[in-house]
């Protein structure tokens, strides 16, 4: 990829100054929010971005095999039919370099980069009650002030590197997938250890295996995966996408998780066992996240879910030739899709290679990292040249808390959320006036195809700011009772599904030691959430306190 697509020319910092709005982050959300506030509302806006270019999560996640699990014709902006029809995706699922090309193309088409300060890390944001303005501090010592502060920092941008004793003494190289070197990593002739088998790890294994001398995969929790069936898109499909822009957009906006397919309107129990198997087989052949949409009750009814789980475990046993390895890979302890379901290209097949080994670190945990590799509790040492941590993120709250946000009366967001995040609609928190969190905890966010929920949030926020300005409202924050009701509703929505049953899922914050266990995303579905947000706005921003 040409360097211009990965790193912008150096700019002279953020520049202290006074703005209507400051946006933190230049991924999908920050870019669209900038466009709406600047070009539709005519506000003065500055975007502060830690990376050297646009792209957000895609700027950092350059690990081998990095590819989106959403289909390309739905993993993009849809607010403009012209932009939508003009860009042509090449594969069913876009790879990281293609997504970066797309995001740079959009940023250039909308002339966004002139208002983005790259390489600019926010170190703190403080609400000043006297002036009713946010003061945003950067690492370079600048201070920007703004009426509106909007976080567009993503849900999965704070890398979780496990605190394993001895890492500092490791003589080889180590990397976290979410902070991958821009120049890539040469695995040729190397003995590689990979910790983690989530969506990221499952994408990385086959690619690293093909390049390395040897790959040892350290698995703590076995995972389901369905083949992605990725491949180039033909001209006919590309035409169909261009011609069906409206229909595709209607589908993604009306389904619970924002994907371009509908969930089947049949129960697992409406069909015979034979028919069920045939439907699962067809979904497996089609590939992708759509497998989850085979029956409408897979995420609500444990017995229904068991039928999918058994089908997928049998697939693992049929692909993986060594029965002991297959047994470890199929020893899955949670319902299918209760954790974010991965999709893959030859993940289970990779374990049939001579140079790939699986180590069960649930049975025999990692004890420490030695200068030469990874040592397990029973004393076994795996000698390694490179360790890859595909160990995920301090999800959803991590990227917000590290901004050091302080609201009214000196209240730190960290204190306010000490027992877990509390928001109204995932958009605002009590004590933090005029602060909006795009895809914040309590919104569908990670349970939805991200660009779909990002567009909804950015549009709702822009409409809200426009309405408040028109009414002369200077300050907005939620009523405590509205937050209580919303938190209760988020819990109810989660408990109506099997999602909380994956006790170690990052949806619950369980992957980060010491993090409060609270189910963070809103599981009631994106379409329903959109209706609720529209209703709140139509009722004059019901549940918010508005001050002139
Ligand atoms: O992270 P994860 P991820 N010792 O948290 C293991 C999105 N995404 O980066 O389950 C040993 O899911 C951990 O084990 P356990 C997507 O939303 C999107 O893979 O905690 N193992 C688990 O196996 C996804 O869900 C796409 O027991 C340790 C793994 O590391 C989200 O990002 C692609 C450990 C972490 O899995 C996060 O996925 C990729 C330890 N100390 C990701 N600590 C696209 O759509 C953690 N683990 C492109």
């Amino acid at each position: 990829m040409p360097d211009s697509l990965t790193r912008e020319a150096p700019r002279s910092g953020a520049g202290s100054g006074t703005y209507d709005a400051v946006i933190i982050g230049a991924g999908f959300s920050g870019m669209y929010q900038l466009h709406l506030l600047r070009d539709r509302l005519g506000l003065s806006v500055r975007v502060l971005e830690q990376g050297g270019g646009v792209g957000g999560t895609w700027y950092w996640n350059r690990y081998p095999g990095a590819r989106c699990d959403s289909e390309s014709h739905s993993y993009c902006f849809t607010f403009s039919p012209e932009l939508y029809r003009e860009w042509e995706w090449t594969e069913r699922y876009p790879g990281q370099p293609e997504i970066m090309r797309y995001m740079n193309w959009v940023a250039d088409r909308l002339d966004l980069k002139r208002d983005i300060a790259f390489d600019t890390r926010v170190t703190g944001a403080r609400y000043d009650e006297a002036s009713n303005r946010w003061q945003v501090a950067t690492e370079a010592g600048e201070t920007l002030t703004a009426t509106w502060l909007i976080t567009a920092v993503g849900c999965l941008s704070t890398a979780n590197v496990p605190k394993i004793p001895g890492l500092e003494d490791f003589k080889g190289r180590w990397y976290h997938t979410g902070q991958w070197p821009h120049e890539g990593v040469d695995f040729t002739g190397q003995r590689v250890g990979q910790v983690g088998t989530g969506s990221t790890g499952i994408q990385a294994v086959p690619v690293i295996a093909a390049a390395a001398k040897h790959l040892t995969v350290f698995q703590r929790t076995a995972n389901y995966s369905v083949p992605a069936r990725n491949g180039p898109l033909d001209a006919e499909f590309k035409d169909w996408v261009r011609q069906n822009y409206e229909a595709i957009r209607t589908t993604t906006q009306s389904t619970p998780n924002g994907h371009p397919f509908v969930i089947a309107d049949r129960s697992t129990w409406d069909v015979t066992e034979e028919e069920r198997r045939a439907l699962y087989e067809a979904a497996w052949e089609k590939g992708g996240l759509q497998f989850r949409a085979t029956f409408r009750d897979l995420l609500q009814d444990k017995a229904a879910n068991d039928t999918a789980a058994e089908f997928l475990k049998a697939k693992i046993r049929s692909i993986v030739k060594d029965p002991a390895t297959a047994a470890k890979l199929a020893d899955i302890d949670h319902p299918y899709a209760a954790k974010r379901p991965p999709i893959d290209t030859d993940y289970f097949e990779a374990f049939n290679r001579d140079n790939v080994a699986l180590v069960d670190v649930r049975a025999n945990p990692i004890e420490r990292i030695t200068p030469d590799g990874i040592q397990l509790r029973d004393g076994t040492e795996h000698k390694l040249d490179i360790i890859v941590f595909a160990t995920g993120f301090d999800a959803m709250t991590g990227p917000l808390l590290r901004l050091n946000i302080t609201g009214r009366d000196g209240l730190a967001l960290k204190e306010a959320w000490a027992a877990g995040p509390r928001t109204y609609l995932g958009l605002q928190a009590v004590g933090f006036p005029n602060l909006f969190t795009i895809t914040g905890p309590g919104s569908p966010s990670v349970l939805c195809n991200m660009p779909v929920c990002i567009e909804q949030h950015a549009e709702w926020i822009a409409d809200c700011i426009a309405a408040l300005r028109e009414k002369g409202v200077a300050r907005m924050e939620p009523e405590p009772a509205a937050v209580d009701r919303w938190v209760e509703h988020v819990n109810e929505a989660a408990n109506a599904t099997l999602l909380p049953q994956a006790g170690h899922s990052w949806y619950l914050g369980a992957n980060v030691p010491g993090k409060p266990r609270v189910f963070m995303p809103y599981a009631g579905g994106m379409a329903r959430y959109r209706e609720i947000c529209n209703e709140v706005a139509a009722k004059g921003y019901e549940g918010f306190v508005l001050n002139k």
Side-chain angles (χ1 to χ4, degrees), residues 67-69 156 162 196-200 220-221 339-340 390 392 506:
R67 185 176 290 285
C68 188
D69 291 345
L156 299 162
T197 52
S199 302
T200 301
R220 186 164 73 182
T221 304
K339 291 175 92 172
R340 155 66 152 75
W506 59 259

Side-chain angles (χ1 to χ4, degrees), residues 58 63 67-70 156 160 162 164 177 195-201 203 218 220-221 339-340 361-362 366 390-393 504 506 511:
W58 298 103
Y63 59 86
R67 185 176 290 285
C68 188
D69 291 345
S70 298
L156 299 162
N160 171 41
I164 304 174
T177 48
V195 183
T197 52
S199 302
T200 301
Q203 288 185 334
F218 297 88
R220 186 164 73 182
T221 304
K339 291 175 92 172
R340 155 66 152 75
V361 294
R362 165 130 330 151
I366 296 176
T391 44
F393 303 90
H504 37 66
W506 59 259
N511 62 328

Side-chain angles (χ1 to χ4, degrees), residues 5-55:
L5 291 184
T6 63
R7 180 160 285 279
E8 295 302 315
R11 310 263 159 125
S12 52
S16 296
T18 303
Y19 298 91
D20 292 318
V22 163
I23 298 169
I24 308 174
F28 272 98
S29 19
M31 285 168 55
Y32 187 39
Q33 194 73 76
L34 167 61
H35 172 60
L36 289 174
L37 297 186
R38 186 192 69 182
D39 302 334
R40 288 205 195 155
L41 268 57
L43 304 190
S44 63
V45 187
R46 192 76 170 138
V47 180
L48 308 178
E49 167 55 56
Q50 182 172 2
V54 297

